Amino acid sequence: MDSNSNNKEATKFNWYPGHIAKAERELKEKLQVIDIVIELRDARIPAASAHQDLSKWAQGKPIITVLNKSDLAAPKKEFISINSKNPASLKQLIKEIEKLSQPILDKYKSKGIIGRPTRVMVVGYPNVGKSSLINKLAQKKKAKVSDKAGVTRQQQWIDAKSKLNIKLLDTPGIIPPKFYSDDQALKLALCNCLGDNAFDHLIIAREGMGLIKEAVEEHYQLEFGNDPVQALAEKKNLKQNGELDLGRAADLFLKDFREAKIGKFCLD
Ligand SMILES: Nc1nc2c(ncn2[C@@H]2O[C@H](COP(=O)(O)OP(=O)(O)OP(=O)(O)O)[C@@H](O)[C@H]2O)c(=O)[nH]1
Ligand SMILES: [Mg+2]
């Protein structure tokens, strides 16, 4: 299979709805009043889920890069790794927030401003777990969480539960107007960061299976042949009207990958 030409097809689906442009505009505006930025990435794709313009937007404000969904990924040492469903995994992140907020609080104290909360904004691609993280830090279910990308549509301030006085800003997931590369688009689609209507499932499944060929062959006990999606449909006997149902096979792979049933990977 010529993976390059198929990969190019993946980016034909340029998903950039109006609300993303608005979300990016509001994010840049709000950064003026923010003290600390948490950039939440997906631990399975720490490079593909990075916002390359974020440090420019943040204009010197501290950015903590955090890999979420570490329970679904192979470990990566360079960053703070968390699992937003498990509060125990947040200790290192909370320490880092507290460390970075101290000089900010001291600065305000020296100006006679006492009790002003540190303002922490959480940003990242859709569906990386921003609202889940905020709910865990706040110890209450204030922000709406869903396994569909693009659920948070409005910024929302939520008070953190901490001995330090912290306000957290939940933000809608944003994607750049253009993907940085075809490889990035593929990985974001694979990890459910783009919304399932934004791409052709067949193309993404084929390309995604190619990235982890050995594990896929092992997990489903099959050989790729010319088309791994077809091989999976044959293996699972997925048919519609007597024909192999490639769409269902593609979705089966995507679901199993996203639930880490095939294995825990770091694709970057
Ligand atoms: N396995 C696992 N799932 C997670 C983790 N964090 C969040 N999720 C799940 O990921 C999905 C997306 O979570 P959200 O918190 O809604 O993500 P978001 O970044 O706020 O998404 P948008 O508001 O759409 O941009 C939900 O199904 C969560 O339950 C994690 O650490 N591990
Ligand atoms: Mg959200």
Side-chain angles (χ1 to χ4, degrees), residues 68-69 71 83-84 126-132 146-147 150-152 173:
N68 190 34
K69 306 199 181 185
D71 54 313
N83 162 7
S84 285
N127 212 35
V128 293
K130 300 174 294 299
S131 302
S132 304
S146 155
D147 64 354
V151 161
T152 304

Side-chain angles (χ1 to χ4, degrees), residues 30-266:
K30 199 50 84 52
L31 268 164
Q32 318 279 339
V33 301
I34 293 297
D35 300 311
I36 298 168
V37 179
I38 295 178
E39 187 198 7
L40 202 60
R41 301 186 191 173
D42 187 312
R44 295 165 294 183
I45 47 169
S49 58
H51 278 287
Q52 296 184 3
D53 291 326
L54 184 62
S55 51
K56 194 174 74 195
W57 299 343
Q59 295 183 8
K61 306 220 163 141
I63 300 174
I64 312 175
T65 300
V66 179
L67 306 186
N68 190 34
K69 306 199 181 185
S70 62
D71 54 313
L72 303 177
K76 192 95 177 168
K77 292 273 184 289
E78 302 94 285
F79 301 105
I80 296 175
S81 287
I82 62 166
N83 162 7
S84 285
K85 295 186 169 185
N86 173 12
S89 75
L90 304 184
K91 279 187 191 146
Q92 195 191 352
L93 171 61
I94 291 170
K95 265 201 186 140
E96 190 64 19
I97 297 173
E98 290 178 346
K99 193 179 94 191
L100 291 172
S101 20
Q102 202 51 60
I104 295 161
L105 296 179
D106 290 346
K107 191 182 91 188
Y108 279 104
K109 203 168 160 191
S110 72
K111 292 181 184 167
I113 303 168
I114 293 166
R116 176 194 176 279
T118 308
R119 298 166 183 161
V120 179
M121 174 189 253
V122 181
V123 302
Y125 280 81
N127 212 35
V128 293
K130 300 174 294 299
S131 302
S132 304
L133 169 62
I134 287 179
N135 284 342
K136 272 290 176 292
L137 289 171
Q139 294 182 16
K140 55 193 167 214
K141 287 191 179 141
K142 273 280 203 163
K144 191 172 168 199
V145 165
S146 155
D147 64 354
K148 291 196 170 54
V151 161
T152 304
R153 291 293 177 101
Q154 295 285 335
Q155 294 181 350
Q156 183 186 7
W157 284 108
I158 293 169
D159 293 332
K161 182 117 178 148
S162 160
K163 44 185 195 316
L164 275 181
N165 189 6
I166 293 171
K167 261 186 177 315
L168 297 154
L169 185 65
D170 192 12
T171 63
I174 54 166
I175 53 166
K178 271 197 180 146
F179 297 118
Y180 305 122
S181 67
D182 294 335
D183 183 65
Q184 185 203 21
L186 165 66
K187 289 171 179 171
L188 287 169
L190 208 51
C191 292
N192 205 6
C193 296
L194 298 183
D196 268 343
N197 296 328
F199 56 89
D200 184 319
H201 293 205
L202 215 51
I203 294 170
I204 296 300
R206 267 189 200 121
E207 290 296 321
M209 288 166 109
L211 292 179
I212 48 170
K213 181 172 190 278
E214 270 179 32
V216 172
E217 288 189 331
E218 162 91 21
H219 178 74
Y220 296 115
Q221 290 293 297
L222 53 78
E223 278 180 24
F224 271 21
N226 286 331
D227 177 2
V229 177
Q230 184 178 332
L232 181 56
E234 277 164 4
K235 180 77 191 184
K236 296 284 179 190
N237 199 24
L238 301 175
K239 289 193 175 158
Q240 197 180 28
N241 303 329
E243 303 271 326
L244 284 176
D245 191 340
L246 299 186
R248 250 167 81 207
D251 284 341
L252 173 66
F253 164 74
L254 289 176
K255 185 169 180 294
D256 287 348
F257 173 81
R258 289 168 180 177
E259 290 173 2
K261 287 198 176 137
I262 302 166
K264 296 184 180 192
F265 305 100
C266 184

